[in-house]
Amino acid sequence: MSMDMTTLGDPGLLDTLQHEVAVFARRAEQTRLGGVGQVRNSMDRAAYLLLNRLDNEGPMGVKALAASMGIDSSTVTRQVAPLVDTGLVKRTSHPEDGRAVVLQLSPRGLARLEEVRSSRRQLMAELTHDWAPEEREAFCSLLTRFNSALSARMAPQAIPGANPQPAS
């Protein structure tokens, strides 16, 4: 969908928004929003998102995992390999088709994910300690909406036939 400058709104505000999003992306990558304490920076973004998706949606094949994340199967295969090697994810046979492989969060993977979540939760609490609960809720709502809009914009470039969900 193309918009001309008359439909975009205040150019100064949009300049500030794009700048702040760029700064946020850089700072998030620099810190990986890794959390606090010993867990800080100990899990990369791809691993966190894959483990989180498997925890939220349950065991699934590579193609289903890729489609749910809006990325291609080869990327999932490459990103999941070290998680299997370290015992955070296990490969099992599909219950109905023994030839198909299903990826599943291992007990060790779940424990590690919970450790990282707890650390990141503590970081979010520290960063927003002086925010009112309504401000945290509004920020979450707007950030979710923004991420959904980004996902929707990327959908035509995603896997054909896939129905990508916002990265969580």
Side-chain angles (χ1 to χ4, degrees):
M1 171 184 347
S2 177
M3 296 185 181
D4 65 36
M5 288 305 290
T6 61
T7 61
L8 291 177
D10 180 0
L13 182 61
L14 294 172
D15 285 346
T16 300
L17 178 60
Q18 67 80 23
H19 175 77
E20 291 301 326
V21 167
V23 170
F24 171 78
R26 182 182 64 215
R27 291 204 173 122
E29 191 57 36
Q30 286 172 339
T31 65
R32 290 186 176 169
L33 290 182
V36 296
Q38 293 180 344
V39 181
R40 184 184 170 144
N41 294 332
S42 60
M43 183 179 287
D44 70 38
R45 180 183 63 241
Y48 179 77
L49 293 173
L50 284 167
L51 294 178
N52 204 47
R53 183 69 63 162
L54 288 172
D55 184 42
N56 290 334
E57 296 183 20
M60 65 181 79
V62 170
K63 286 183 181 179
L65 184 56
S68 76
M69 296 182 72
I71 57 180
D72 64 58
S73 295
S74 64
T75 301
V76 168
T77 300
R78 186 177 66 253
Q79 291 176 348
V80 84
L83 300 176
V84 170
D85 292 344
T86 57
L88 300 178
V89 170
K90 57 185 179 176
R91 288 187 176 109
T92 60
S93 296
H94 191 282
E96 296 168 11
D97 180 0
R99 298 168 297 167
V101 174
V102 174
L103 299 171
Q104 181 176 355
L105 193 60
S106 71
R108 181 177 178 203
L110 180 58
R112 183 76 182 101
L113 180 60
E114 286 301 329
E115 181 182 35
V116 171
R117 280 180 179 156
S118 176
S119 175
R120 290 180 176 195
R121 193 177 304 117
Q122 185 177 346
L123 175 62
M124 293 301 109
E126 288 178 13
L127 293 173
T128 62
H129 76 278
D130 59 345
W131 293 21
E134 310 80 57
E135 290 174 312
R136 284 181 178 169
E137 288 175 22
F139 185 69
C140 285
S141 177
L142 291 170
L143 194 54
T144 299
R145 185 174 169 191
F146 186 81
N147 282 330
S148 294
L150 283 174
S151 290
R153 181 169 175 80
M154 296 304 295
Q157 299 170 14
I159 304 165
N163 186 13
Q165 301 295 317
S168 57

PDB file of all heavy atoms in Angstrom, residues 59-77:
ATOM      1  N   PRO A  59       5.020 -28.818  20.032  1.00  0.00           N
ATOM      2  CA  PRO A  59       5.872 -29.454  19.016  1.00  0.00           C
ATOM      3  C   PRO A  59       5.320 -29.243  17.608  1.00  0.00           C
ATOM      4  O   PRO A  59       4.103 -29.243  17.405  1.00  0.00           O
ATOM      5  CB  PRO A  59       5.819 -30.938  19.395  1.00  0.00           C
ATOM      6  CG  PRO A  59       5.371 -30.976  20.814  1.00  0.00           C
ATOM      7  CD  PRO A  59       4.505 -29.767  21.009  1.00  0.00           C
ATOM      8  N   MET A  60       6.232 -29.073  16.668  1.00  0.00           N
ATOM      9  CA  MET A  60       5.829 -28.896  15.266  1.00  0.00           C
ATOM     10  C   MET A  60       7.001 -29.170  14.346  1.00  0.00           C
ATOM     11  O   MET A  60       8.151 -29.170  14.776  1.00  0.00           O
ATOM     12  CB  MET A  60       5.264 -27.499  15.028  1.00  0.00           C
ATOM     13  CG  MET A  60       6.251 -26.362  15.199  1.00  0.00           C
ATOM     14  SD  MET A  60       5.508 -24.727  14.941  1.00  0.00           S
ATOM     15  CE  MET A  60       4.690 -24.483  16.490  1.00  0.00           C
ATOM     16  N   GLY A  61       6.688 -29.369  13.085  1.00  0.00           N
ATOM     17  CA  GLY A  61       7.711 -29.584  12.076  1.00  0.00           C
ATOM     18  C   GLY A  61       8.382 -28.281  11.677  1.00  0.00           C
ATOM     19  O   GLY A  61       7.910 -27.188  12.005  1.00  0.00           O
ATOM     20  N   VAL A  62       9.478 -28.417  10.963  1.00  0.00           N
ATOM     21  CA  VAL A  62      10.249 -27.247  10.531  1.00  0.00           C
ATOM     22  C   VAL A  62       9.401 -26.313   9.675  1.00  0.00           C
ATOM     23  O   VAL A  62       9.410 -25.101   9.876  1.00  0.00           O
ATOM     24  CB  VAL A  62      11.520 -27.684   9.756  1.00  0.00           C
ATOM     25  CG1 VAL A  62      12.198 -26.502   9.085  1.00  0.00           C
ATOM     26  CG2 VAL A  62      12.490 -28.388  10.693  1.00  0.00           C
ATOM     27  N   LYS A  63       8.640 -26.878   8.730  1.00  0.00           N
ATOM     28  CA  LYS A  63       7.830 -26.033   7.847  1.00  0.00           C
ATOM     29  C   LYS A  63       6.773 -25.254   8.627  1.00  0.00           C
ATOM     30  O   LYS A  63       6.555 -24.069   8.389  1.00  0.00           O
ATOM     31  CB  LYS A  63       7.168 -26.864   6.754  1.00  0.00           C
ATOM     32  CG  LYS A  63       8.128 -27.305   5.677  1.00  0.00           C
ATOM     33  CD  LYS A  63       7.416 -28.060   4.576  1.00  0.00           C
ATOM     34  CE  LYS A  63       8.417 -28.502   3.524  1.00  0.00           C
ATOM     35  NZ  LYS A  63       7.773 -29.261   2.449  1.00  0.00           N
ATOM     36  N   ALA A  64       6.119 -25.914   9.568  1.00  0.00           N
ATOM     37  CA  ALA A  64       5.094 -25.243  10.372  1.00  0.00           C
ATOM     38  C   ALA A  64       5.721 -24.168  11.251  1.00  0.00           C
ATOM     39  O   ALA A  64       5.167 -23.073  11.405  1.00  0.00           O
ATOM     40  CB  ALA A  64       4.341 -26.258  11.234  1.00  0.00           C
ATOM     41  N   LEU A  65       6.883 -24.468  11.824  1.00  0.00           N
ATOM     42  CA  LEU A  65       7.575 -23.484  12.657  1.00  0.00           C
ATOM     43  C   LEU A  65       7.987 -22.273  11.821  1.00  0.00           C
ATOM     44  O   LEU A  65       7.782 -21.126  12.225  1.00  0.00           O
ATOM     45  CB  LEU A  65       8.793 -24.124  13.329  1.00  0.00           C
ATOM     46  CG  LEU A  65       9.581 -23.276  14.307  1.00  0.00           C
ATOM     47  CD1 LEU A  65       8.702 -22.719  15.420  1.00  0.00           C
ATOM     48  CD2 LEU A  65      10.737 -24.081  14.895  1.00  0.00           C
ATOM     49  N   ALA A  66       8.522 -22.535  10.641  1.00  0.00           N
ATOM     50  CA  ALA A  66       8.920 -21.443   9.750  1.00  0.00           C
ATOM     51  C   ALA A  66       7.718 -20.584   9.367  1.00  0.00           C
ATOM     52  O   ALA A  66       7.790 -19.351   9.414  1.00  0.00           O
ATOM     53  CB  ALA A  66       9.592 -22.010   8.498  1.00  0.00           C
ATOM     54  N   ALA A  67       6.615 -21.237   9.008  1.00  0.00           N
ATOM     55  CA  ALA A  67       5.418 -20.493   8.614  1.00  0.00           C
ATOM     56  C   ALA A  67       4.884 -19.661   9.774  1.00  0.00           C
ATOM     57  O   ALA A  67       4.487 -18.510   9.584  1.00  0.00           O
ATOM     58  CB  ALA A  67       4.346 -21.451   8.114  1.00  0.00           C
ATOM     59  N   SER A  68       4.892 -20.223  10.981  1.00  0.00           N
ATOM     60  CA  SER A  68       4.354 -19.486  12.126  1.00  0.00           C
ATOM     61  C   SER A  68       5.216 -18.288  12.489  1.00  0.00           C
ATOM     62  O   SER A  68       4.727 -17.336  13.090  1.00  0.00           O
ATOM     63  CB  SER A  68       4.181 -20.403  13.336  1.00  0.00           C
ATOM     64  OG  SER A  68       5.419 -20.672  13.958  1.00  0.00           O
ATOM     65  N   MET A  69       6.498 -18.334  12.113  1.00  0.00           N
ATOM     66  CA  MET A  69       7.404 -17.230  12.425  1.00  0.00           C
ATOM     67  C   MET A  69       7.599 -16.281  11.245  1.00  0.00           C
ATOM     68  O   MET A  69       8.248 -15.250  11.389  1.00  0.00           O
ATOM     69  CB  MET A  69       8.754 -17.775  12.900  1.00  0.00           C
ATOM     70  CG  MET A  69       8.624 -18.555  14.210  1.00  0.00           C
ATOM     71  SD  MET A  69      10.183 -19.162  14.824  1.00  0.00           S
ATOM     72  CE  MET A  69      10.918 -17.618  15.364  1.00  0.00           C
ATOM     73  N   GLY A  70       7.062 -16.653  10.086  1.00  0.00           N
ATOM     74  CA  GLY A  70       7.192 -15.800   8.910  1.00  0.00           C
ATOM     75  C   GLY A  70       8.590 -15.796   8.324  1.00  0.00           C
ATOM     76  O   GLY A  70       9.023 -14.797   7.756  1.00  0.00           O
ATOM     77  N   ILE A  71       9.314 -16.919   8.479  1.00  0.00           N
ATOM     78  CA  ILE A  71      10.661 -17.051   7.904  1.00  0.00           C
ATOM     79  C   ILE A  71      10.706 -18.342   7.098  1.00  0.00           C
ATOM     80  O   ILE A  71       9.778 -19.150   7.147  1.00  0.00           O
ATOM     81  CB  ILE A  71      11.766 -17.028   8.990  1.00  0.00           C
ATOM     82  CG1 ILE A  71      11.551 -18.131  10.028  1.00  0.00           C
ATOM     83  CG2 ILE A  71      11.816 -15.665   9.661  1.00  0.00           C
ATOM     84  CD1 ILE A  71      12.613 -18.168  11.130  1.00  0.00           C
ATOM     85  N   ASP A  72      11.787 -18.564   6.345  1.00  0.00           N
ATOM     86  CA  ASP A  72      11.822 -19.764   5.514  1.00  0.00           C
ATOM     87  C   ASP A  72      12.397 -20.956   6.277  1.00  0.00           C
ATOM     88  O   ASP A  72      13.068 -20.817   7.292  1.00  0.00           O
ATOM     89  CB  ASP A  72      12.548 -19.523   4.185  1.00  0.00           C
ATOM     90  CG  ASP A  72      14.011 -19.192   4.357  1.00  0.00           C
ATOM     91  OD1 ASP A  72      14.733 -20.001   4.952  1.00  0.00           O
ATOM     92  OD2 ASP A  72      14.437 -18.124   3.871  1.00  0.00           O
ATOM     93  N   SER A  73      12.098 -22.139   5.764  1.00  0.00           N
ATOM     94  CA  SER A  73      12.488 -23.391   6.423  1.00  0.00           C
ATOM     95  C   SER A  73      13.993 -23.533   6.579  1.00  0.00           C
ATOM     96  O   SER A  73      14.468 -24.066   7.587  1.00  0.00           O
ATOM     97  CB  SER A  73      11.951 -24.592   5.641  1.00  0.00           C
ATOM     98  OG  SER A  73      10.545 -24.590   5.665  1.00  0.00           O
ATOM     99  N   SER A  74      14.755 -23.077   5.589  1.00  0.00           N
ATOM    100  CA  SER A  74      16.209 -23.209   5.682  1.00  0.00           C
ATOM    101  C   SER A  74      16.757 -22.365   6.842  1.00  0.00           C
ATOM    102  O   SER A  74      17.716 -22.767   7.513  1.00  0.00           O
ATOM    103  CB  SER A  74      16.886 -22.820   4.367  1.00  0.00           C
ATOM    104  OG  SER A  74      16.674 -21.455   4.065  1.00  0.00           O
ATOM    105  N   THR A  75      16.142 -21.220   7.091  1.00  0.00           N
ATOM    106  CA  THR A  75      16.565 -20.380   8.219  1.00  0.00           C
ATOM    107  C   THR A  75      16.269 -21.088   9.535  1.00  0.00           C
ATOM    108  O   THR A  75      17.113 -21.125  10.437  1.00  0.00           O
ATOM    109  CB  THR A  75      15.866 -19.007   8.171  1.00  0.00           C
ATOM    110  OG1 THR A  75      16.201 -18.370   6.936  1.00  0.00           O
ATOM    111  CG2 THR A  75      16.280 -18.131   9.333  1.00  0.00           C
ATOM    112  N   VAL A  76      15.078 -21.672   9.653  1.00  0.00           N
ATOM    113  CA  VAL A  76      14.724 -22.406  10.868  1.00  0.00           C
ATOM    114  C   VAL A  76      15.688 -23.574  11.068  1.00  0.00           C
ATOM    115  O   VAL A  76      16.197 -23.800  12.168  1.00  0.00           O
ATOM    116  CB  VAL A  76      13.264 -22.902  10.831  1.00  0.00           C
ATOM    117  CG1 VAL A  76      12.996 -23.910  11.945  1.00  0.00           C
ATOM    118  CG2 VAL A  76      12.312 -21.729  10.953  1.00  0.00           C
ATOM    119  N   THR A  77      15.949 -24.317  10.008  1.00  0.00           N
ATOM    120  CA  THR A  77      16.857 -25.463  10.102  1.00  0.00           C
ATOM    121  C   THR A  77      18.225 -25.026  10.606  1.00  0.00           C
ATOM    122  O   THR A  77      18.803 -25.659  11.500  1.00  0.00           O
ATOM    123  CB  THR A  77      16.982 -26.160   8.731  1.00  0.00           C
ATOM    124  OG1 THR A  77      15.680 -26.613   8.336  1.00  0.00           O
ATOM    125  CG2 THR A  77      17.947 -27.330   8.779  1.00  0.00           C
TER     126      THR A  77
END
